Amino acid sequence: MNPLQKTARLGFRLLKIAATNPRRLSHILGTALSASNDVVDKSCDLLRLPIVDVNDLLPAAGDLWEIKMLMFPKTHASISLLEFTALILLLKRAGSKQIFEFGTFKGISITQLASNLPPGSNIYTLDLPDEQLNTQFSTDPEDAAIAVETGKGSLVPAELRPRIQFLKCDSAKFDESPFAGKMDFVFVDGAHNFDYVKSDSEKGWRMLRSGGIIAWHDCRHQDPGVVRYLLQTPFKPSRISGTTVAFAIKP
């Protein structure tokens, strides 16, 4: 069915709903409006990124994969349960023992990741120090509000804290060279403007070994800096269906 046929059919159905069940028009139009947000700006058109179903991240054969999930009280700037599932599947797909996260915030993401790593793994997470909030690149108001919140990493359970190395630095000024080629998995979830996403991603890519996986959170129209970068990068990222997570595998 071509776009003209789809438009005609949708128009007919809208007229029918308006005549027989007008209260449902709000739902239909709201869904269409939400979908249009993903494509209205060509420079951050989400449909230009290949999409992968979360089930496709499962192994085709072999041993069972066990996933551990910790349930936190509902908090803002966090990640959905499906997104955590996708991240942990990517973590296991890479056979991860060395991981790095850009953007600790309260520590929910690094907790979920660390809980699914074997003993002896090297786990790093990076965020601004609470006492020093000056950044090399400007940030949008939402990122700036998150940056000034104290207690970064405060939700990480006490029993996990000794396994995690908490690094405090502006990621734009962070020297990734000691980690080059050593990481199995890198998660980029720091500031969401284009400059920071580019800086964090390129550093993360250099930190990855061949076959390692880099993942991004907030690949969505509300964070155009993330989408614009992913559409321009040569890393060939894909989106995971039903989530705002994207990922790429280093050759």
Side-chain angles (χ1 to χ4, degrees), residues 51-111:
I51 195 159
V52 172
D53 190 274
V54 68
N55 292 301
D56 294 332
L57 303 179
L58 292 166
D63 296 333
L64 293 174
W65 281 3
E66 180 180 353
I67 286 181
K68 184 176 181 180
M69 192 86 71
L70 280 73
M71 299 294 127
F72 288 83
K74 191 173 182 179
T75 183
H76 73 99
S78 188
I79 295 181
S80 75
L81 294 178
L82 180 59
E83 289 174 336
F84 277 133
T85 300
L87 288 173
I88 294 168
L89 289 177
L90 290 172
L91 188 82
K92 291 182 175 294
R93 183 171 176 172
S96 302
K97 293 183 179 180
Q98 322 282 332
I99 73 166
F100 195 101
E101 176 189 57
F102 288 90
T104 310
F105 193 42
K106 299 298 183 181
I108 295 178
S109 299
I110 201 64
T111 294

Side-chain angles (χ1 to χ4, degrees), residues 20-237:
T20 61
N21 199 0
R23 295 177 62 184
R24 292 290 184 255
L25 274 178
S26 177
H27 166 70
I28 302 298
L29 295 175
T31 301
L33 183 61
S34 177
S36 71
N37 286 330
D38 292 343
V39 299
V40 67
D41 184 347
K42 185 177 180 180
S43 70
C44 52
D45 179 355
L46 280 167
L47 297 188
R48 292 170 57 196
L49 289 170
I51 195 159
V52 172
D53 190 274
V54 68
N55 292 301
D56 294 332
L57 303 179
L58 292 166
D63 296 333
L64 293 174
W65 281 3
E66 180 180 353
I67 286 181
K68 184 176 181 180
M69 192 86 71
L70 280 73
M71 299 294 127
F72 288 83
K74 191 173 182 179
T75 183
H76 73 99
S78 188
I79 295 181
S80 75
L81 294 178
L82 180 59
E83 289 174 336
F84 277 133
T85 300
L87 288 173
I88 294 168
L89 289 177
L90 290 172
L91 188 82
K92 291 182 175 294
R93 183 171 176 172
S96 302
K97 293 183 179 180
Q98 322 282 332
I99 73 166
F100 195 101
E101 176 189 57
F102 288 90
T104 310
F105 193 42
K106 299 298 183 181
I108 295 178
S109 299
I110 201 64
T111 294
Q112 302 286 20
L113 296 174
S115 298
N116 287 276
L117 289 170
S121 297
N122 291 315
I123 307 165
Y124 305 88
T125 183
L126 173 69
D127 212 317
L128 290 169
D130 287 340
E131 66 278 3
Q132 177 59 46
L133 299 177
N134 295 326
T135 58
Q136 180 169 322
F137 302 127
S138 62
T139 56
D140 62 34
E142 182 178 0
D143 284 337
I146 290 174
V148 299
E149 289 197 33
T150 58
K152 296 179 177 69
S154 59
L155 295 182
V156 177
E159 62 271 19
L160 276 180
R161 298 188 72 85
R163 298 184 58 197
I164 301 170
Q165 298 189 48
F166 295 88
L167 306 178
K168 300 294 185 180
C169 178
D170 178 2
S171 66
K173 301 174 183 177
F174 174 70
D175 177 15
E176 80 285 2
S177 58
F179 302 90
K182 297 179 179 179
M183 294 294 110
D184 303 308
F185 182 81
V186 172
F187 183 40
V188 178
D189 193 22
H192 291 69
N193 68 320
F194 182 91
D195 290 331
Y196 268 109
V197 176
K198 181 176 186 295
S199 175
D200 294 349
S201 301
E202 292 180 352
K203 290 180 179 183
W205 191 257
R206 288 191 288 271
M207 292 159 68
L208 280 181
R209 61 163 173 82
S210 177
I213 294 176
I214 186 170
W216 297 266
H217 188 227
D218 291 323
C219 177
R220 57 182 184 169
H221 76 267
Q222 295 97 323
D223 292 292
V226 178
V227 182
R228 288 192 177 104
Y229 175 74
L230 293 180
L231 288 172
Q232 295 178 27
T233 182
F235 303 159
K236 299 181 180 179

Side-chain angles (χ1 to χ4, degrees), residues 54 80 82-83 86 219 239-246:
V54 68
S80 75
L82 180 59
E83 289 174 336
C219 177
R239 286 192 301 137
I240 299 176
S241 178
T243 77
T244 68
V245 174

Side-chain angles (χ1 to χ4, degrees), residues 1-11:
M1 190 183 299
N2 62 42
L4 186 59
Q5 290 172 319
K6 290 180 180 179
T7 301
R9 180 170 290 188
L10 177 60

